[in-house]
Amino acid sequence: QVQLIESGGGVVQPGGSLRLSCVASGFTFRNYGMHWVRQAPGKGLEWVTFVRYDGSDIYYADSVKGRFTISRDNSKNTLYLQMNSLRVDDSAMYYCAKNFNYYNMDVWGEGTTVTVSS
Amino acid sequence: QSALTQPASVSGSPGQSITISCTGTSSDVGAYRSVSWYQQHPGKAPKLMISDVTNRPSGVSNRFSGSKSGNTASLTISGLQAEDEGDYYCASYTSSNTWVFGGGTKLTVL
């Protein structure tokens, strides 16, 4: 079945770094754009970043631009999110999601939790 | 990148219909047929309920429908059922090549 599994979350101090991974299965990963979306505890969804199927286009939310880097390895069916200069307000559940028909997110992982705290 | 505007909460009785609005601008909701709607139950990942303003993915009940007029999109749920209770989010692609979500609406089935 179509599945996305995130990993790499954890507790990190402000200013620190983490790399999240998202392994895809059940569909042809190299054919689809991918998103990262986050949700702070008790808050709403916030779009973070998107990478086109071949990595040719990458977009970021202003809140993470210059600090986060999205990438993908189509040979490993894996999406990544490198997070640097982490801040307390980056604490959230981070979901990867598969892009569908240009604008939509039709498959979501269960998420991985990032906590930024001293 | 201001969030789209949704009501914080809506409620309805089983069998009734409710509508959740999602207001943006001419740079997002009004610019493209790119509004999608997501349902989220507590502790769970979001689930796509409506894509491209009006399209229902396979497996989603036909009690869910979407529409758009100008800069405002709407999600209507007819024949409310207890299982529909949860949080609902709209999202839109923007002219800045980004995506923006609404603040979320908590649906309570009375």
Side-chain angles (χ1 to χ4, degrees):
Chain A
Q1 72 280 23
V2 177
Q3 199 170 16
L4 297 170
I5 299 177
E6 302 95 334
S7 62
V11 180
V12 62
Q13 292 188 336
S17 298
L18 274 179
R19 188 175 86 153
L20 307 183
S21 299
C22 168
V23 177
S25 60
F27 66 98
T28 306
F29 179 73
R30 65 179 180 272
N31 288 350
Y32 293 92
M34 296 292 297
H35 301 263
W36 286 100
V37 175
R38 68 184 180 183
Q39 186 171 35
K43 302 297 184 182
L45 300 172
E46 179 188 11
W47 176 80
V48 175
T49 181
F50 168 81
V51 60
R52 208 166 290 280
Y53 69 97
D54 59 356
S56 60
D57 289 301
I58 287 174
Y59 308 119
Y60 296 99
D62 287 345
S63 58
V64 306
K65 201 174 294 183
R67 300 187 300 121
F68 289 13
T69 302
I70 189 173
S71 62
R72 62 190 298 159
D73 186 337
N74 287 343
S75 69
K76 296 182 178 179
N77 290 346
T78 303
L79 177 72
Y80 301 101
L81 184 65
Q82 177 67 44
M83 304 185 296
N84 298 331
S85 303
L86 282 161
R87 308 190 296 223
V88 171
D89 62 358
D90 292 319
S91 297
M93 179 73 80
Y94 283 74
Y95 297 100
C96 62
K98 169 182 165 286
N99 196 56
F100 168 69
N101 206 27
Y102 297 110
Y103 301 129
N104 315 282
M105 303 166 203
D106 68 332
V107 180
W108 295 65
E110 291 303 312
T112 186
T113 303
V114 173
T115 303
V116 185
S117 174
S118 54
Chain B
Q1 291 176 337
S2 299
L4 306 176
T5 301
Q6 298 180 232
S9 64
V10 298
S11 62
S13 299
Q16 288 186 332
S17 294
I18 64 95
T19 296
I20 300 172
S21 61
C22 170
T23 301
T25 70
S26 57
S27 296
D28 40 61
V29 173
Y32 312 93
R33 283 192 63 84
S34 65
V35 176
S36 50
W37 289 90
Y38 303 87
Q39 177 193 65
Q40 188 179 36
H41 290 133
K44 298 296 186 181
K47 175 187 177 183
L48 178 65
M49 304 302 285
I50 295 289
S51 66
D52 301 320
V53 179
T54 59
N55 296 336
R56 212 171 32 250
S58 174
V60 173
S61 169
N62 59 8
R63 298 184 297 104
F64 291 81
S65 62
S67 63
K68 189 184 83 164
S69 177
N71 297 336
T72 298
S74 298
L75 172 71
T76 297
I77 309 174
S78 59
L80 266 181
Q81 299 179 1
E83 68 206 48
D84 299 332
E85 191 164 281
D87 295 324
Y88 290 82
Y89 295 90
C90 62
S92 176
Y93 179 70
T94 85
S95 59
S96 301
N97 294 321
T98 62
W99 279 257
V100 60
F101 281 93
T105 298
K106 182 178 181 61
L107 169 61
T108 301
V109 180
L110 303 171

